[in-house]
Amino acid sequence: MGSVRKLVVEVIEARNLLPKDGHGTSSPYVVVDFYGQRRKTRTVTRDLSPQWNELLEFNVGKPSDVFGDMLELDVYHDKSIGPTTRNNFLGRIRLSAIQFVKKGEEALIYYPLEKKYWFSWISGEIGLKIYFVEPLLVPEVKAEPKQAPPADQPTEAAPEGEMKPNSIEEENPTTVEAEPPANEAENPTSVPPQENEFNQVKRSVSLGSIPEVKVSNNIDIVSGPRPISRASSVIFSDAGSGPIEPSSFDLVEKMHYLFVRVVKARSLPTVGCPVVKIVVSGSHVMSKPARKTVLFEWDQTFAFGRDAPDSSSLLEVSVWEPSSAKSFDPTPDVAGHVFLGGICFDVSEIPLRDPPDSPLAPQWYRLEGGGAHRGDLMLATWVGTQADDSFPEAWKTDTAGSKSKVYQSPKLWYLRSSVIEAQDISHSKDSSYHIKAQLGFQVQKTKSITTTTTGSQSWNEDLVFVAAEPFTENHLLFFLIETDRTAKEQTVLAVASIPLTTIERRVDDRKVASRWFTFEDPNEEKRIYKGRVHLRLCFDGGYHVMDEAAHVCSDYRPTARQLWSAPIGTVELGIIGCKNLLPMKGKGSTDAYSVAKYGNKWVRTRTISDSLEPRWNEQYTWRVYDPSTVLTIGVFDGCSEVVFESDECMRPDFRMGKVRVRISTLTTGKVYRNTFPLLLLSQTGLKKMGEIELAVRFIRATPTLDFLHVYSQPLLPMMHHVKPLGMVQQDSLRIAAVKIVASHLTRSEPPLRREVVTYMLDADSHSFSMRKVRANWFRIINVIAGVIDIVKWVDDTRGWKNPTATLLVHALLVMLVWFPDLIIPTFAFYVFVIGAWNYRFRSRDTLPHFDPKISLAESLDRDELDEEFDAMPCTKPNELVRARYDKLRMLGERVQTILGDFATQGERVQALVTWRDPRATGIFIGLCFVVAFILYLVPSKMVSMAFGFYYLRHPIFRDRMPSPALNFFRRLPSLSDRML
């Protein structure tokens, strides 16, 4: 069974096209080109807003240098209709294939038509639906005659009983090692076709690179046979014939591992489920029990840490049959196991493999022990690094079985449900009605209204929910609730259930068609009509569903993939390791792992057990779509997968600190390798949990002008500006999104726990804290400190504290007054000089990190810290809550005074012309008339010059008392005297 992928382009309609036929209309048709294929729609006669509703299909082939992945669509006027003699061009669009989605995710999008030439006159837009489909093609099954085995494999049918492994030292083991087991020759029909093909491929691989094996009668495994060094020139890849892309781990340190891949065994004298024991450099590991098919299969890879690739030791691989069924327990205790055979290797002769080398092919080896041949074991051994393809899924000795994992956040949508009205509802005069909508744990309500005389209710309210794909799990429920105003009781009258798969998707603000849905009785099993409700439902793909705080967001792309732009680059993160971690467990150790999050991709390193200085040396890559985003790395103390089900791991994973890296602060192509302190603020205060060493690099993938053009684009998608959401609504939707993401990731294996997800997403960043209030106030003071310095400099200049500077200011004043065109250029040049001067003091090496001084986390009041970490609602004693409330009232009193002062000054400005004080208003408007008369007679340059020199006059010509203008302003009335 095969599949042919197709691209489907649904040409729906066009709007507001230009007239081209000389009679004020056009007869347009559409030509679409994709991957060397051209399709054409029919011609719509004399219509500037034509509707085609045609479906065009294109075959999608493999990537090619000849045909790109761009889809080109051109709109023309048909020259055969009208007096025109040529196909007049009406517009075009060009779309990249990265914007196309699979069937079921498509939406109607209107693209503005673009010019073909610089002086083209184009207008209008065209509506399209574009998506991929993969129809399955079932080929005809033809019976093929059974062919005889090839002549070059005469030994395939040879019985295994003719082998004499203990008599000689084999010269050419190819004809012996490739033989199938006896049960395979006796029961050829018992093997499924897939298994036969798989074994045939494995045998062909083993035939190409089988080493010579020395056989001995000695049953001692330690001094047993050692396979000689193998030639690594003939290597096959089990992953397919496609190219293996090199994985560059250049940001982290190389860690060498000895890899042992145990595939399967044959001809073992047992009917049970044997296990494989591996011993090397003091490490003892036992595999899981074999899967008993035709052969004994494990297909398990082990990685043993090594200090250097040329360290010499002995590798022992042995097969044992457990006397009783036991669970997987990687311990060196093999008591009660029956020895079935083993192999020994000299580690110094095992080849070194570095990507992009192909994976090493597994080979059959003769098991020795007991004085006779007891079967064959297929395995592969090599020395590699953490860049090896087998490393992520290998069982590692330093991590007790945990593995690095990559997670994907679920695709989130905003579900907009507009509740318009309800009809045919049994109503009462003493009752009010409202609609309660529920999607999973999210519940929203409309306002309560009374019923009209016609028995209909009208709300016209929008309720927005967060929904995650796939949409087959939940239904959107609408409850009609009656509230008795006399008894104050609520009763559910009816319910409507709507599957999410039936709801339309949109990517812009176009109006979706509304529909009527039937209300049913929730208490009856049979469907009883209880009225109907008028709803307008749609998934809004033009929004970005916020699951992070806006100031530390890692992605701003809209939900709809059709609206995504091309990536501007990649960011590479190397998680090297940690130092000086604090012990988190009673045994004085820490099981540390790291989590990194950027966009919808999460990564989790393997868990290093019982180590205060873990070394991961793992490297990950993300695509970057916006430079104003943040990469977050956190460190947690968890438990290994081996004891995951124990009582010790029922505790939560404790946070140990995190690091944020803003992409826009990274220089292109530069590697930042820094050590960051892991700071954790808890109820006991600020604590340094250790240090983490990271390496970060940003690589730009677009031209410089395109990259700089991103800074002129809006940060959030278009729908956030066309139809914005309220702040309170955004906060509630973000809380729902965090719960959905956490629930999704906890269902993974291994799970990314809820406390880890909420910490990485800053779910509690908006909680009230007196520390944050003071820190934000000092931030404001720091921002306006520059303005305060300018005011002080002007005052010093007026005071002639530096006569030279004051004289230069007089000269500058004269120049700017007589040449006012120089004001803006002079200001711009001054800002340029300040920026160029500050370039010398920029941060060159270290990346910005959490600053305890800015956060006011170094000197904390214990009561304020306890208040910051208090739950909602408060659970503290009443006396403590009363004391906190009194402190909050004192702070509110200061804020109240400042707000009153601002209001007073504004009301005094209004009082200048409102005649609250008739004499003051008369004086002000009289002075305005005099000033206007003088400025009509005297040139403005002379007035500006005189005012500047008067303002900068020497202190000996000034009065120490406030100026008359300030005294006049302070005497103006305000509304503060009217407040109770």
Side-chain angles (χ1 to χ4, degrees):
M1 181 179 293
S3 62
V4 177
R5 198 181 192 193
K6 291 183 178 293
L7 177 70
V8 177
V9 180
E10 293 187 20
V11 185
I12 307 299
E13 62 177 345
R15 299 174 179 172
N16 304 323
L17 299 178
L18 286 179
K20 291 288 186 177
D21 63 352
H23 296 287
T25 61
S26 293
S27 300
Y29 65 93
V30 177
V31 177
V32 184
D33 291 281
F34 180 73
Y35 216 82
Q37 307 163 67
R38 173 169 292 186
R39 304 288 186 270
K40 177 183 175 182
T41 66
R42 59 184 173 84
T43 301
V44 178
T45 306
R46 297 183 178 90
D47 194 348
L48 296 181
S49 297
Q51 293 186 358
W52 291 281
N53 293 314
E54 292 192 25
L55 189 144
L56 308 178
E57 290 187 354
F58 301 87
N59 294 327
V60 181
K62 296 182 179 180
S64 171
D65 296 333
V66 179
F67 304 112
D69 60 350
M70 297 295 295
L71 183 141
E72 298 185 7
L73 183 145
D74 298 274
V75 184
Y76 294 98
H77 165 68
D78 195 344
K79 65 179 180 180
S80 62
I81 303 176
T84 57
T85 59
R86 61 188 180 90
N87 290 339
N88 288 319
F89 180 72
L90 295 176
R92 71 183 305 183
I93 60 172
R94 290 169 56 88
L95 302 174
S96 175
I98 63 174
Q99 301 175 264
F100 305 153
V101 296
K102 62 182 179 181
K103 183 175 178 56
E105 299 181 4
E106 73 277 6
L108 177 60
I109 305 178
Y110 288 87
Y111 299 95
L113 295 174
E114 301 174 354
K115 297 180 179 181
K116 190 174 184 179
Y117 305 105
W118 182 262
F119 296 103
S120 300
W121 184 24
I122 298 299
S123 71
E125 56 186 6
I126 185 169
L128 304 173
K129 287 184 179 180
I130 308 176
Y131 51 90
F132 289 109
V133 294
E134 297 184 0
L136 295 178
L137 302 179
V138 182
E140 297 182 359
V141 179
K142 298 181 179 180
E144 297 182 359
K146 187 174 181 180
Q147 298 180 359
D152 56 350
Q153 296 181 359
T155 60
E156 289 289 333
E160 198 165 345
E162 298 179 3
M163 296 166 46
K164 300 179 180 180
N166 297 327
S167 59
I168 58 171
E169 183 175 357
E170 300 179 18
E171 296 292 340
N172 187 7
T174 303
T175 59
V176 178
E177 298 295 338
E179 293 177 4
N183 56 358
E184 185 178 358
E186 294 173 359
N187 302 314
T189 59
S190 62
V191 184
Q194 294 85 352
E195 186 66 24
N196 283 333
E197 296 175 3
F198 178 78
N199 294 334
Q200 186 177 358
V201 172
K202 288 297 183 182
R203 285 195 297 269
S204 63
V205 171
S206 63
L207 286 174
S209 57
I210 292 183
E212 296 180 1
V213 181
K214 296 182 179 179
V215 182
S216 175
N217 293 328
N218 194 348
I219 62 175
D220 187 9
I221 298 179
V222 177
S223 59
R226 298 186 182 182
I228 63 174
S229 60
R230 296 161 291 175
S232 59
S233 58
V234 182
I235 298 177
F236 293 87
S237 173
D238 294 337
S241 59
I244 300 177
E245 297 183 0
S247 177
S248 61
F249 277 61
D250 55 342
L251 296 183
V252 297
E253 302 169 355
K254 279 190 175 183
M255 301 177 66
H256 289 88
Y257 289 86
L258 172 61
F259 290 89
V260 179
R261 181 190 174 196
V262 181
V263 183
K264 56 186 176 180
R266 64 186 180 187
S267 302
L268 296 180
T270 179
V271 293
C273 299
V275 296
V276 175
K277 177 187 174 185
I278 304 175
V279 180
V280 60
S281 301
S283 299
H284 301 72
V285 176
M286 188 172 294
S287 73
K288 60 186 179 182
R291 299 186 305 272
K292 184 65 173 69
T293 56
V294 176
L295 305 177
F296 301 93
E297 297 183 358
W298 292 277
D299 197 12
Q300 197 172 1
T301 305
F302 302 88
F304 301 87
R306 295 177 55 79
D307 297 332
D310 57 348
S311 59
S312 176
S313 62
L314 195 66
L315 170 65
E316 304 175 13
V317 182
S318 55
V319 182
W320 300 74
E321 180 186 8
S323 58
S324 61
K326 294 184 179 181
S327 60
F328 171 63
D329 184 15
T331 59
D333 185 15
V334 292
H337 289 55
V338 179
F339 177 69
L340 300 179
I343 314 171
C344 291
F345 294 90
D346 188 355
V347 179
S348 62
E349 299 178 354
I350 294 178
L352 176 67
R353 174 183 177 260
D354 277 331
D357 293 345
S358 299
L360 200 66
Q363 304 162 13
W364 286 106
Y365 291 94
R366 184 77 50 81
L367 291 176
E368 300 300 328
H373 175 60
R374 294 296 185 91
D376 302 313
L377 180 66
M378 177 180 283
L379 57 85
T381 61
W382 70 94
V383 176
T385 64
Q386 71 269 33
D388 199 282
D389 301 333
S390 302
F391 182 77
E393 299 298 327
W395 195 95
K396 309 168 189 66
T397 54
D398 58 346
T399 58
S402 67
K403 302 175 182 178
S404 305
K405 291 294 181 180
V406 177
Y407 305 85
Q408 287 288 334
S409 296
K411 191 173 184 179
L412 303 178
W413 292 76
Y414 280 148
L415 172 57
R416 185 181 297 274
S417 57
S418 301
V419 183
I420 303 175
E421 61 176 338
Q423 292 182 357
D424 303 338
I425 305 299
S426 57
H427 60 281
S428 174
K429 294 182 179 180
D430 297 331
S431 300
S432 60
Y433 301 87
H434 69 272
I435 295 291
K436 182 180 77 172
Q438 181 176 357
L439 178 62
F441 63 89
Q442 306 173 67
V443 177
Q444 297 191 35
K445 300 178 181 180
T446 64
K447 62 180 181 294
S448 296
I449 61 173
T450 57
T451 308
T452 62
T453 57
T454 60
S456 63
Q457 297 89 8
S458 178
W459 291 277
N460 291 314
E461 291 188 34
D462 283 353
L463 307 178
V464 182
F465 300 90
V466 179
E469 292 186 354
F471 296 140
T472 57
E473 298 181 359
N474 296 320
H475 284 63
L476 181 60
L477 303 177
F478 289 91
F479 299 91
L480 178 62
I481 299 179
E482 177 186 12
T483 304
D484 191 346
R485 288 177 289 182
T486 58
K488 296 183 179 180
E489 295 181 353
Q490 292 187 351
T491 306
V492 178
L493 298 180
V495 62
S497 178
I498 304 171
L500 298 185
T501 54
T502 62
I503 299 177
E504 185 179 353
R505 307 184 187 192
R506 70 174 185 179
V507 297
D508 50 17
D509 59 339
R510 64 183 177 87
K511 214 165 191 179
V512 179
S514 58
R515 292 186 292 171
W516 289 94
F517 296 92
T518 302
F519 271 138
E520 299 176 0
D521 193 337
N523 302 320
E524 298 291 339
E525 296 182 359
K526 296 182 179 180
R527 301 183 60 181
I528 300 177
Y529 179 78
K530 301 289 290 185
R532 60 177 187 169
V533 61
H534 194 194
L535 304 174
R536 180 180 289 111
L537 305 175
C538 68
F539 286 108
D540 272 331
Y543 290 95
H544 169 70
V545 181
M546 303 289 292
D547 58 352
E548 301 170 289
H551 61 284
V552 292
C553 194
S554 62
D555 190 10
Y556 294 102
R557 290 176 295 170
T559 302
R561 187 183 180 89
Q562 300 94 320
L563 302 180
W564 291 4
S565 58
I568 61 174
T570 58
V571 58
E572 300 176 357
L573 172 66
I575 306 177
I576 299 173
C578 287
K579 301 178 182 177
N580 305 322
L581 293 180
L582 296 182
M584 301 295 292
K585 293 182 174 63
K587 56 185 179 181
S589 64
T590 298
D591 298 333
Y593 67 91
S594 180
V595 176
K597 196 265 182 186
Y598 185 80
N600 59 352
K601 177 182 176 182
W602 300 66
V603 298
R604 171 179 173 168
T605 64
R606 61 193 189 277
T607 302
I608 306 295
S609 302
D610 301 333
S611 177
L612 299 180
E613 294 189 358
R615 307 296 290 179
W616 293 291
N617 285 300
E618 299 182 14
Q619 186 168 336
Y620 302 94
T621 303
W622 289 268
R623 289 184 178 180
V624 177
Y625 292 85
D626 194 302
S628 302
T629 48
V630 176
L631 170 65
T632 305
I633 306 100
V635 180
F636 302 88
D637 171 63
C639 55
S640 61
E641 294 181 0
V642 177
V643 293
F644 188 78
E645 299 297 334
S646 64
D647 295 336
E648 183 182 1
C649 272
M650 292 298 102
R651 66 173 182 84
D653 290 354
F654 293 110
R655 59 185 69 173
M656 302 188 69
K658 61 183 174 183
V659 179
R660 294 195 188 112
V661 178
R662 185 167 290 273
I663 306 301
S664 59
T665 61
L666 303 178
T667 304
T668 302
K670 180 179 179 180
V671 177
Y672 294 85
R673 182 164 180 171
N674 303 110
T675 300
F676 301 91
L678 294 174
L679 304 176
L680 183 64
L681 185 63
S682 61
Q683 294 181 352
T684 59
L686 183 66
K687 185 184 296 184
K688 183 178 180 181
M689 307 299 293
E691 298 177 346
I692 183 172
E693 187 176 1
L694 302 173
V696 187
R697 176 173 58 198
F698 172 70
I699 301 176
R700 179 169 52 85
T702 58
T704 304
L705 293 180
D706 293 343
F707 182 77
L708 298 179
H709 177 68
V710 176
Y711 282 86
S712 65
Q713 301 301 308
L715 197 62
L716 293 172
M718 177 189 66
M719 287 296 293
H720 287 271
H721 305 278
V722 175
K723 200 168 185 178
L725 302 173
M727 293 299 298
V728 178
Q729 191 178 26
Q730 285 188 14
D731 291 339
S732 62
L733 291 175
R734 180 181 172 237
I735 293 174
V738 171
K739 291 182 179 180
I740 292 175
V741 173
S743 176
H744 175 83
L745 295 178
T746 52
R747 296 196 299 265
S748 304
E749 184 58 37
L752 207 57
R753 294 191 170 182
R754 186 177 300 273
E755 59 271 14
V756 175
V757 177
T758 54
Y759 181 62
M760 295 291 291
L761 295 178
D762 275 340
D764 54 352
S765 61
H766 295 298
S767 58
F768 175 77
S769 169
M770 291 294 298
R771 173 187 62 85
K772 292 182 180 179
V773 172
R774 290 201 309 271
N776 291 332
W777 171 254
F778 286 121
R779 288 172 58 196
I780 295 176
I781 297 300
N782 188 32
V783 169
I784 65 176
V787 179
I788 296 175
D789 293 340
I790 293 176
V791 173
K792 290 182 178 180
W793 177 80
V794 172
D795 190 65
D796 293 342
T797 303
R798 287 185 64 207
W800 290 74
K801 292 186 177 180
N802 188 351
T804 304
T806 305
L807 293 176
L808 291 176
V809 169
H810 280 77
L812 180 63
L813 174 64
V814 173
M815 183 185 68
L816 295 180
V817 168
W818 288 101
F819 303 98
D821 296 341
L822 297 179
I823 294 178
I824 296 179
T826 302
F827 176 77
F829 182 76
Y830 179 71
V831 174
F832 165 76
V833 171
I834 293 177
W837 179 263
N838 292 335
Y839 181 77
R840 302 171 52 195
F841 309 103
R842 72 190 186 279
S843 178
R844 301 187 180 184
D845 297 326
T846 60
L847 291 173
H849 188 48
F850 291 108
D851 193 342
K853 294 182 179 180
I854 296 179
S855 306
L856 300 182
E858 294 181 335
S859 57
L860 291 173
D861 184 75
R862 186 59 59 89
D863 183 58
E864 292 182 357
L865 197 60
D866 184 66
E867 179 185 8
E868 182 175 348
F869 286 93
D870 194 7
M872 293 287 290
C874 182
T875 58
K876 300 297 181 180
N878 295 335
E879 293 78 8
L880 183 59
V881 175
R882 186 179 295 109
R884 292 177 179 176
Y885 177 66
D886 293 339
K887 183 186 296 185
L888 188 62
R889 289 180 62 188
M890 295 176 60
L891 178 63
E893 181 182 355
R894 298 179 186 177
V895 175
Q896 171 187 310
T897 303
I898 295 175
L899 294 178
D901 292 341
F902 274 106
T904 298
Q905 305 307 322
E907 291 167 354
R908 286 174 177 172
V909 174
Q910 292 179 344
L912 290 173
V913 292
T914 55
W915 296 91
R916 292 179 191 167
D917 187 343
R919 284 172 291 275
T921 303
I923 294 173
F924 177 72
I925 63 176
L927 288 176
C928 289
F929 177 77
V930 173
V931 170
F933 183 76
I934 292 175
L935 291 180
Y936 273 120
L937 299 178
V938 183
S940 59
K941 293 181 180 180
M942 298 298 298
V943 175
S944 301
M945 185 78 67
F947 178 77
F949 275 88
Y950 176 77
Y951 182 77
L952 296 174
R953 67 191 185 278
H954 199 274
I956 62 175
F957 301 107
R958 297 180 191 167
D959 191 1
R960 294 183 178 181
M961 301 301 293
S963 63
L966 185 58
N967 294 332
F968 175 79
F969 182 77
R970 287 176 177 175
R971 291 177 178 273
L972 292 172
S974 66
L975 299 180
S976 59
D977 53 350
R978 300 185 186 182
M979 294 187 62
L980 295 176

